[in-house]
Each structure stands twice: as structure tokens, then as C-alpha cells.
Amino acid sequence: LAILLWCGAGILPIIICCIRRRLVLAARILSAASNFLDDCPSVLGISLATFSVAFAFFVFMASTLVYQISTGDIPKLGWNGSAEGRKDPYHRLHWTADIPWALVFEILMFAWTGGFITGISQIAVAHIVGSWYFAPLTTGGRRYVKGATLDGLFTTLKSHLGTAALGGLILAPLRVLRFLVRWYRHTDIQDRHNAFQRFFLRIGNGLSWVYEGIKYMSKLAYIQVGLTGQGLIPSAWTAFTLMLRNPLKFALVGELGIVFEIIGQVAIVLANSFLALLALQHIPYYRENLSSTEAPLIVVVILSWLVSTLLLHCWGLAADTILQCYVADEEMSRFEGGPKRMNFDNQ
């Protein structure tokens, strides 16, 4: 094992030197995503609206699920066996044969609607990024498209609701099936005797890989929908062939983007928590009126994580869109002539 580690440590610098230009290109594309957020900060409102709608829908679905399960006569628990002989005020909910189907239906609808809302957000952001990428430079060296956020959102709601619904419908059964497999793994192992149950458990690992692959391809397809206005299937094929022609670029931008998203989330949460702790300990009003700093710090951590997730999710989607714009721009420049809109190679 030590020899293998030493060999890997020796090979890694060689690999980095061989793909140095691709690494620099990926870093510049990620930097361009930051420039996009600087030029079009209003796009963050789409992420905030997406989270708000998804959270409201989750509350609605949870409420309807509780209502469905609790309808009908619910008997009391009966005598509690105490010395006073009083009846227990609580009720017992019987697990009938209809409840599992209601749960599956609710989970399926939640997964479908969640995918639908996510698809609308991704298509709208991709449309805005495409408009920004191909916009001319202003005198200050910035790219600005007037009303790009509203135009992207209006175009998505007007022309691509069916595309987002179809993408959500494709992912929803896989998401529900993966959830059921994970839930079944935590049930009593003594009940797993027949061949179907064993097969159902064995497909769990493969199902996760299939789900993640289709989820990634659906994101690339949504980006193509926002850029070209095509349907979901043609856009998925265009994105797939584009990825096959540029596998290293897609891999590096995707992996580096994930790394920077994690680093960014941790840095934002830690910085805000540290500043909040300093404020709680040194500002006289908080120091005199608060008996404990744990509860405010927990609230700050949760809000910081939420804000960083919304910000960096939009940033990562912008980076993936800029990558597809750049690859398409590069191919058009190669075959049709003319300069590229963004020449990351010579920056």
C-alpha cells in the first residue's frame, strides 16, 4: 500500500502538468461565473423564489398527508392502567393497508413537483447566463443585459413548463424507488426471505448510480433548453454529444465546482458564525440581556448555510452554463470563423 501511495504521489504532478491548460481553463470559467453574478445579481432572486415555493409546497404536502392519514374514526388508547383508573387522553392511529399507498403517492408527487420547480429554475438561469455570455461588452468591460432576469423567467414560464414537467416526471420514480430501497434496508432483516426482496435490495447501489447519472444529464439538458429553446430530448442529446466531444473540460469544471462550492459553504458558515459570536460576546446589549449564546448561534449557522447554498448553487449552475456556451462558441468559431465571445485561453 505504501508503494502504491508513493507511486500515486509521483504520478499526480505529472498528470497535473499534462492537464495544466485544462485546469487553468476550468478555473477561468469558474471565475467567469463569479463575474456573471457580479453583473446580474438579480438572478439570485430566482434561487430564493425557488426555495420559497419548494418549502411552501413541502408544507402543503405534509399537511395533506397528515389530513389523509388522520381522517376517519381514531379510537382512544383506552385505560392506562394507573391507580386512578383514568382514561388516557391520547388516540391511536391504526396502520391500515391504504396508508403505505398514500405515502408512496405523496412522496411521488413531492418528488415530481420538486423536480418541476428545480427544472424551471435551472432553465431560467441558463437562459439568463446565455444572454449575458453572448452580450457585447460595455465601455467598462462588463456584460450587461437589461431585464435579463425577467426575460429569462418569463420565457421559461411561457415556453418551457412542459419540458420542466417532463424532466421532473422522469426523475421522480427513480427518486422514490431509491428512497424505498434505502428505507427497506433499515427494516428487519429477518423479513427478507424471498428472491424478489433480495433482488430489490441488490439493485439499490446500481439504482443510485443510474439516478445520479440521469440527474446530471437532466441538468445539462435543462441548460441546453435555456440556451437553444429546444425540447428536453433534443437538448439532452445535444448536451450528451457536447460532453462526449469535451469530456475533460466537463469533468474538471464539474469537480472543481463541487470543491469550491463545499469550501465556499464552509467558509461562509464559519465566517458568519465567528462574527456573530464576537457580536454576542462584545456588544453590551447582547451580553447583558442574553443568558446563552447557543440558540442565536444555531440560528446564524442555519441561515448562513441556507444563504450559502442558494448563492453557490446559482454560481455552480452559471459555471456549467458558461462551459456549454464556451464550448459551443469555440466550435462555431472553429468551423464558421470569427472571434470567440470569451477567449479564456488567452486571458
Side-chain angles (χ1 to χ4, degrees):
L1 179 60
I3 295 176
L4 292 177
L5 292 176
W6 276 103
C7 293
I11 296 174
L12 184 60
I14 300 176
I15 296 176
I16 293 177
C17 291
C18 293
I19 62 173
R20 181 184 61 85
R21 293 183 58 186
R22 293 289 181 263
L23 286 172
V24 173
L25 174 62
R28 288 171 177 171
I29 289 176
L30 296 177
S31 176
S34 302
N35 295 335
F36 163 73
L37 292 181
D38 187 32
D39 293 340
C40 302
S42 58
V43 74
L44 296 175
I46 295 180
S47 297
L48 181 60
T50 301
F51 171 79
S52 302
V53 173
F55 180 77
F57 180 76
F58 172 78
V59 173
F60 170 75
M61 293 297 290
S63 302
T64 56
L65 179 62
V66 171
Y67 175 77
Q68 289 177 355
I69 294 177
S70 60
T71 53
D73 296 331
I74 304 178
K76 290 187 176 182
L77 289 176
W79 298 93
N80 60 1
S82 61
E84 293 82 2
R86 294 175 300 180
K87 282 192 174 182
D88 201 320
Y90 301 105
H91 292 71
R92 181 188 299 251
L93 182 64
H94 291 284
W95 185 270
T96 62
D98 297 331
I99 292 180
W101 293 107
L103 288 173
V104 172
F105 175 78
E106 292 283 345
I107 295 173
L108 180 61
M109 289 299 101
F110 179 75
W112 186 5
T113 308
F116 171 68
I117 296 173
T118 302
I120 292 176
S121 172
Q122 292 178 345
I123 294 172
V125 172
H127 182 89
I128 298 167
V129 174
S131 301
W132 172 85
Y133 181 92
F134 292 102
L137 289 173
T138 61
T139 55
R142 298 163 63 98
R143 298 177 186 270
Y144 177 73
V145 182
K146 185 177 180 179
T149 302
L150 291 178
D151 178 67
L153 189 59
F154 176 77
T155 302
T156 302
L157 295 177
K158 177 184 177 181
S159 306
H160 303 304
L161 290 181
T163 300
L166 178 59
L169 180 61
I170 293 174
L171 282 175
L174 293 175
R175 187 175 298 177
V176 173
L177 188 58
R178 188 181 66 162
F179 169 79
L180 292 177
V181 170
R182 291 183 175 180
W183 172 78
Y184 190 70
R185 281 180 174 174
H186 292 84
T187 58
D188 189 3
I189 196 171
Q190 295 178 357
D191 296 335
R192 306 170 188 171
H193 293 302
N194 59 56
F196 174 77
Q197 291 172 334
R198 292 194 297 268
F199 173 77
F200 188 70
L201 291 175
R202 290 182 182 276
I203 66 173
N205 294 331
L207 185 64
S208 297
W209 286 97
V210 172
Y211 170 77
E212 293 298 332
I214 295 179
K215 181 181 177 182
Y216 178 72
M217 282 306 306
S218 68
K219 182 178 71 170
L220 298 183
Y222 285 146
I223 291 174
Q224 280 295 318
V225 171
L227 294 176
T228 63
Q230 295 179 323
L232 182 65
I233 305 303
S235 297
W237 177 251
T238 302
F240 180 69
T241 55
L242 202 66
M243 183 179 63
L244 287 182
R245 293 194 298 270
N246 304 271
L248 189 57
K249 293 178 182 178
F250 276 82
L252 289 178
V253 170
E255 296 302 323
L256 285 179
I258 292 175
V259 171
F260 281 111
E261 283 186 30
I262 296 174
I263 294 175
Q265 281 186 311
V266 173
I268 291 174
V269 172
L270 291 180
N272 287 337
S273 302
F274 178 72
L275 293 176
L277 181 62
L278 291 180
L280 293 174
Q281 290 181 345
H282 292 87
I283 295 179
Y285 176 80
Y286 296 124
R287 190 174 62 248
E288 295 172 0
N289 293 277
L290 287 177
S291 59
S292 175
T293 60
E294 282 79 6
L297 279 179
I298 292 175
V299 174
V300 170
V301 169
I302 294 175
L303 293 178
S304 300
W305 176 82
L306 176 60
V307 171
S308 63
T309 300
L310 295 177
L311 172 64
L312 293 171
H313 172 74
C314 188
W315 174 79
L317 183 60
D320 292 332
T321 307
I322 291 173
L323 172 62
Q324 293 199 38
C325 291
Y326 173 76
V327 172
D329 189 18
E330 187 179 42
E331 292 182 353
M332 288 188 294
S333 177
R334 185 186 309 127
F335 292 106
E336 299 177 5
K340 291 183 284 189
R341 293 287 183 173
M342 286 190 180
N343 194 357
F344 295 118
D345 296 329
N346 296 328
Q347 289 183 359

